[in-house]
Amino acid sequence: MLIEIDSERIQSEIDQLAKISEASPPVVTRVLFSKADLQARAYVQARCTNLDLALREDVVGNIFAHWQGQDPDLPAVATGSHIDAIPNAGKYDGVVGVLGALEAIRGLKRSGFKPRRSIELVIFTAEEPTRFGIGCLGSRLLAGALAPEQALQLTDSAGKRLADWLGEVYPQSGDLQSVRLVPNFYSAFIELHIEQGPLLERQRIDLGVVEQIAAPATLRLEFIGEGGHAGAVLMPDRHDALLAGAEIALAVESAAKESQSPDTVGTTGVFRIEPGAVNSVPYRALLEIDLRDTRLSTRDSALQRIRENILAVTRRRGVQAHLDVINQDPPAVCDAALVQAALQAAARVGLSARCMVSRAYHDSLFMAQTCPTTMLFIPCRNGVSHRPDEYASPEAISKGTLVLAQLLEQLAS
Ligand code: GLV
Ligand code: MN
Ligand code: MN
């Protein structure tokens, strides 16, 4: 069956969606439950409705757009990604997997394809951890990897809990328990995404098929020291929370660099101090630390080393530490048969493809706990992501979308 992808249409939708942002162009910022996030959801939902997809939203705001197959009792084939964006992001991360999937479905419809299994597009709530410090909130709950009662207590930096947010944004909604999918609710899940790394572009390869997804651990660390006058508190008497935090930020770097695995990476992406005045000793420091690896053992050894450093710093500097391990996830292994099917689908349309590891995490990390899963990566310029200058060419997006459409056709037939 000839499937045609309308590259201009995807690009124009990507550009329109990028305008829905909390920041001025070219910066895209769409934090969970912000006005921009809610508007972006409405934008995508309207596009799904135009395509005659039946919409459903669960209690945490995951959106499901359903194309009913001829045998609706069979588990559907699912695809999708996220449309929330971290502060100072670009327009492709997540969005390509949503608007590309929409175009794949449109292309299949145009070709006259009639799916036997239903096809479902999923737009996940808060893949990005910005508001609550935890990534993949929606897919985590779908997979049962986060207990609903724990989720409801998640708190943002303004002290507002998920429970409060849900009461405001979805006042009619029900019990968070209902979000969890039964095992094999879907027959397969495929996520199209930009690579967020340089390999495909460097090697001039059209498509990456993901075999393994690295496992993140996220830590929130608070140091409470003692504040005071920057002129009057003598150096031997100080309990400076910032300096304790600075030592840990460096310890994170060393733990990752000196790990036995080249895939261990560690980042202190949040570091806030109080009171934040030039002539005042910082009495509080809040750090958020992201640590990842494709191997659990080396990731967890690095984590252990960071814990030991925290203990040593608190003793040496006379500060208190409160460490909250927000998540400590296992890596995902993608489904071997789906990986093969994706490689073959690429070959059928004359595209080059290779297997690869995802060092970023994705909703697929959790979907893989519920059904056979893989991801399709397309090249992005210089491997740049999580920045406003993130870019994937219309041709690259169109190629990825075509392979996604081919796969959906095969899996839904
Ligand atoms: C997802 O955005 C990640 O941080 O890997
Ligand atoms: Mn991201
Ligand atoms: Mn993403």
Side-chain angles (χ1 to χ4, degrees):
M1 203 169 276
L2 180 67
I3 308 167
E4 280 176 358
I5 300 302
D6 185 343
S7 173
E8 272 175 33
R9 182 153 184 183
I10 312 179
Q11 192 57 51
S12 119
E13 290 183 346
I14 290 175
D15 294 340
Q16 286 173 45
L17 191 55
K19 289 190 193 135
I20 307 176
S21 167
E22 296 167 64
S24 310
V27 177
V28 179
T29 300
R30 274 193 301 265
V31 177
L32 174 67
F33 299 142
S34 63
K35 202 167 142 215
D37 177 50
L38 299 177
Q39 269 180 16
R41 288 161 181 269
Y43 173 88
V44 172
Q45 281 172 308
R47 250 114 223 107
C48 293
T49 307
N50 288 345
L51 199 51
D52 286 331
L53 304 177
L55 282 173
R56 174 172 81 82
E57 218 170 340
D58 70 13
V59 174
V60 77
N62 290 312
I63 297 167
F64 305 85
H66 190 83
W67 179 11
Q68 184 157 317
Q70 287 163 332
D71 197 341
D73 292 336
L74 289 175
V77 181
T79 180
S81 194
H82 63 101
I83 53 170
D84 65 320
I86 65 161
N88 204 40
K91 53 185 176 180
Y92 299 92
D93 175 5
V95 167
V96 164
V98 172
L99 296 178
L102 204 60
E103 176 57 23
I105 293 174
R106 267 195 302 252
L108 286 169
K109 288 198 167 199
R110 280 193 300 264
S111 75
F113 175 61
K114 299 270 180 278
R116 185 165 72 93
R117 284 180 194 277
S118 302
I119 294 180
E120 195 151 283
L121 167 57
V122 189
I123 299 118
F124 296 96
T125 288
E127 189 266 354
E128 302 291 7
T130 314
R131 181 168 299 284
F132 292 114
I134 189 166
C136 303
L137 178 61
S139 50
R140 227 175 248 282
L141 286 162
L142 286 169
L146 174 65
E149 52 281 8
Q150 224 178 316
L152 289 170
Q153 300 309 322
L154 290 169
T155 306
D156 67 15
S157 58
K160 193 160 163 179
R161 293 170 317 142
L162 175 64
D164 306 322
W165 274 109
L166 290 178
E168 246 171 57
V169 180
Y170 302 107
Q172 315 301 337
S173 74
D175 186 350
L176 210 55
Q177 301 277 359
S178 62
V179 171
R180 186 170 183 176
L181 297 177
V182 294
N184 295 308
F185 179 81
Y186 293 120
S187 64
F189 178 74
I190 302 148
E191 181 173 3
L192 175 66
H193 206 282
I194 56 168
E195 182 198 343
Q196 305 182 287
L199 299 181
L200 293 172
E201 184 185 57
R202 272 187 205 156
Q203 298 167 358
R204 295 178 194 280
I205 293 178
D206 298 313
L207 194 84
V209 181
V210 174
E211 284 184 304
Q212 214 187 346
I213 306 174
T218 314
L219 321 180
R220 231 182 220 170
L221 173 63
E222 183 191 36
F223 280 116
I224 302 288
E226 208 171 282
H229 195 289
V233 184
L234 294 178
M235 296 315 281
D237 297 334
R238 293 202 180 193
H239 304 284
D240 185 323
L242 176 143
L243 295 177
E247 285 204 41
I248 294 309
L250 291 171
V252 168
E253 184 192 34
S254 311
K257 276 183 154 172
E258 289 157 23
S259 146
Q260 298 302 310
S261 155
D263 291 331
T264 316
V265 284
T267 308
T268 302
V270 172
F271 195 149
R272 296 198 190 98
I273 54 160
E274 285 175 34
V278 69
N279 54 354
S280 185
V281 178
Y283 69 86
R284 179 174 183 263
L286 180 79
L287 286 76
E288 286 182 13
I289 297 163
D290 177 311
L291 188 68
R292 312 182 188 202
D293 203 329
T294 48
R295 265 194 289 165
L296 206 53
S297 57
T298 40
R299 201 268 323 267
D300 285 347
S301 320
L303 182 55
Q304 182 53 27
R305 217 176 122 178
I306 294 167
R307 280 181 186 278
E308 286 159 13
N309 274 283
I310 294 171
L311 206 61
V313 165
T314 53
R315 289 201 186 119
R316 192 159 16 83
R317 290 191 173 271
V319 295
Q320 282 175 23
H322 305 285
L323 174 66
D324 187 8
V325 179
I326 293 181
N327 58 282
Q328 192 174 349
D329 301 307
V333 177
C334 295
D335 183 75
L338 266 189
V339 168
Q340 282 314 311
L343 292 170
Q344 284 159 9
R348 273 203 304 281
V349 290
L351 298 178
S352 53
R354 58 161 281 186
C355 290
M356 59 197 309
V357 159
S358 172
R359 291 192 164 72
Y361 60 70
H362 302 278
D363 293 303
S364 289
L365 183 66
F366 293 96
M367 290 309 283
Q369 296 178 14
T370 74
C371 68
T373 294
T374 190
M375 298 186 70
L376 307 177
F377 276 179
I378 56 164
C380 57
R381 188 174 59 198
N382 298 327
V384 163
S385 185
H386 283 186
R387 276 173 30 184
D389 55 340
E390 177 179 86
Y391 175 78
S393 71
E395 299 73 39
I397 296 170
S398 178
K399 287 173 182 173
T401 302
L402 177 60
V403 176
L404 176 64
Q406 295 269 339
L407 265 175
L408 293 176
E409 180 195 24
Q410 181 184 337
L411 297 167
S413 288

